[in-house]
Amino acid sequence: MATTVRSVKSLIPLLDRVLVQRVKAEAKTASGIFLPESSVKDLNEAKVLAVGPGALDKDGKRLPMGVNAGDRVLIPQYGGSPVKVGEEEYTLFRDSEILAKIAE
């Protein structure tokens, strides 16, 4: 079940959480043909919108995060905590669940 909030800017991830938005697959081919919704799959690529300050180790020191806001990342097909803001959907993952960072 998705949680509903009014503004994505009001979402501030805690500890090692990462707020991402999936990149939408193209619904039109390069030649201009529109694809039906049933043939367009969700991509595993997402844009990082916000990151938490990092988890605490056993000594109480902050562990650095692996990603930063604005990064493009690969995320698991399933998992995370969905959050709905208006018609847009976002997902919260733990930093350790992010599969890879995509270099520009």
Side-chain angles (χ1 to χ4, degrees):
M1 185 166 143
T3 303
T4 304
V5 294
R6 293 182 187 189
S7 168
V8 73
K9 292 182 180 186
S10 66
L11 287 173
I12 302 167
L14 299 176
L15 296 175
D16 64 339
R17 306 286 188 315
V18 179
L19 179 67
V20 301
Q21 183 176 30
R22 281 188 190 270
V23 173
K24 296 192 182 352
E26 290 293 322
K28 186 167 81 168
T29 64
S31 60
I33 298 171
F34 286 95
L35 301 172
E37 267 187 47
S38 59
S39 69
V40 177
K41 290 184 177 179
D42 280 340
L43 297 178
N44 285 11
E45 184 179 330
K47 182 177 180 183
V48 176
L49 301 177
V51 296
L56 299 173
D57 66 8
K58 61 183 175 186
D59 298 324
K61 295 180 184 169
R62 291 262 179 218
L63 298 173
M65 296 292 283
V67 296
N68 296 309
D71 287 346
R72 287 180 30 220
V73 295
L74 289 179
I75 56 174
Q77 186 69 31
Y78 302 103
S81 300
V83 180
K84 192 166 185 171
V85 179
E87 295 300 314
E88 295 291 322
E89 291 192 19
Y90 304 92
T91 311
L92 279 165
F93 286 99
R94 289 191 179 272
D95 186 44
S96 61
E97 294 175 332
I98 303 291
L99 303 176
K101 190 177 351 181
I102 300 172
E104 296 288 324

